[in-house]
Amino acid sequence: MSRPCLSVPLTLIVAFGLSACASGKTAFYHQEEFSDTSAFSRSFPGSEKAVCEAARRALLGQGYVISRSTDNTMDGNKSFQPASDKHMEIAFHVVCASNGNGKSSTMFASATQDGYGIKKSNSSASLGVSVLGSVSMPFAASDDSMVRVSSETIRSPDFYDRFFGAAERYLLVDVDDEAAPAKK
């Protein structure tokens, strides 16, 4: 009878120990909410082409370089240098989709922030002399290159609110321009 009593606590201890080891790994997919109120999208009045044009103008107005643009997608980048040995880049990806009602479209935006640092590679040269053999002599030459040290999707709702607000200002100008009668 004492064996079953000992095996249950032993089994619980082993199971608890294994679960403690497994909890050391972070599963990032648990952060994904897929909620109705996402910071990454906003609906606007207008066609998907007009909504994406407003997004393009909002990015251009803030100094982003548009690297790829179609009627309903766009990619843009902006570089920052917070220190002499650090470089940051924000990359936007925007997709615009019609809501199917002919009156509004949804703009989906996602931005990543990449950090780069300088990687130094010192080099040395070898000199071969037949009497002495090979002699390695360090020279002050180095090859510096920028390598990505971090990459993260920007998740701040305030960041996207500012972007969508800027896009909305450009969209309102377009709506007003279309509604205004043509001057003769």
Side-chain angles (χ1 to χ4, degrees):
M1 287 277 169
S2 64
R3 282 188 182 174
C5 292
L6 288 174
S7 67
V8 172
L10 184 58
T11 305
L12 290 174
I13 290 171
V14 170
F16 181 73
L18 290 175
S19 67
C21 291
S23 67
K25 294 182 180 179
T26 303
F28 289 102
Y29 61 85
H30 288 297
Q31 297 175 8
E32 298 302 318
E33 296 175 12
F34 294 105
S35 64
D36 290 341
T37 56
S38 174
F40 300 102
S41 65
R42 183 87 41 94
S43 288
F44 295 97
S47 68
E48 61 188 47
K49 183 176 180 179
V51 169
C52 260
E53 177 61 20
R56 186 180 74 84
R57 291 179 184 192
L59 290 175
L60 287 171
Q62 293 299 310
Y64 283 80
V65 175
I66 305 302
S67 57
R68 186 178 69 87
S69 179
T70 66
D71 284 350
N72 63 347
T73 63
M74 162 187 358
D75 293 324
N77 302 315
K78 185 175 182 180
S79 297
F80 305 88
Q81 189 168 359
S84 62
D85 61 342
K86 292 183 182 175
H87 175 80
M88 302 296 288
E89 184 173 285
I90 295 178
F92 256 95
H93 181 70
V94 178
V95 176
C96 303
S98 172
N99 289 340
N101 58 14
K103 297 179 182 180
S104 65
S105 298
T106 299
M107 182 188 305
F108 299 92
S110 178
T112 57
Q113 177 176 295
D114 295 334
Y116 296 87
I118 294 179
K119 178 182 177 185
K120 295 183 180 278
S121 301
N122 291 329
S123 59
S124 62
S126 294
L127 177 62
V129 180
S130 62
V131 176
L132 299 174
S134 179
V135 177
S136 181
M137 301 177 69
F139 288 101
S142 67
D143 293 328
D144 295 344
S145 60
M146 296 296 281
V147 294
R148 184 169 41 191
V149 295
S150 65
S151 183
E152 179 180 6
T153 298
I154 299 172
R155 301 179 64 87
S156 168
D158 292 336
F159 175 81
Y160 292 101
D161 282 344
R162 292 191 305 269
F163 167 69
F164 289 131
E168 185 174 31
R169 287 189 297 274
Y170 283 107
L171 185 64
L172 291 175
V173 169
D174 287 347
V175 171
D176 291 343
D177 288 347
E178 290 175 6
K183 294 183 181 182
K184 293 183 182 179

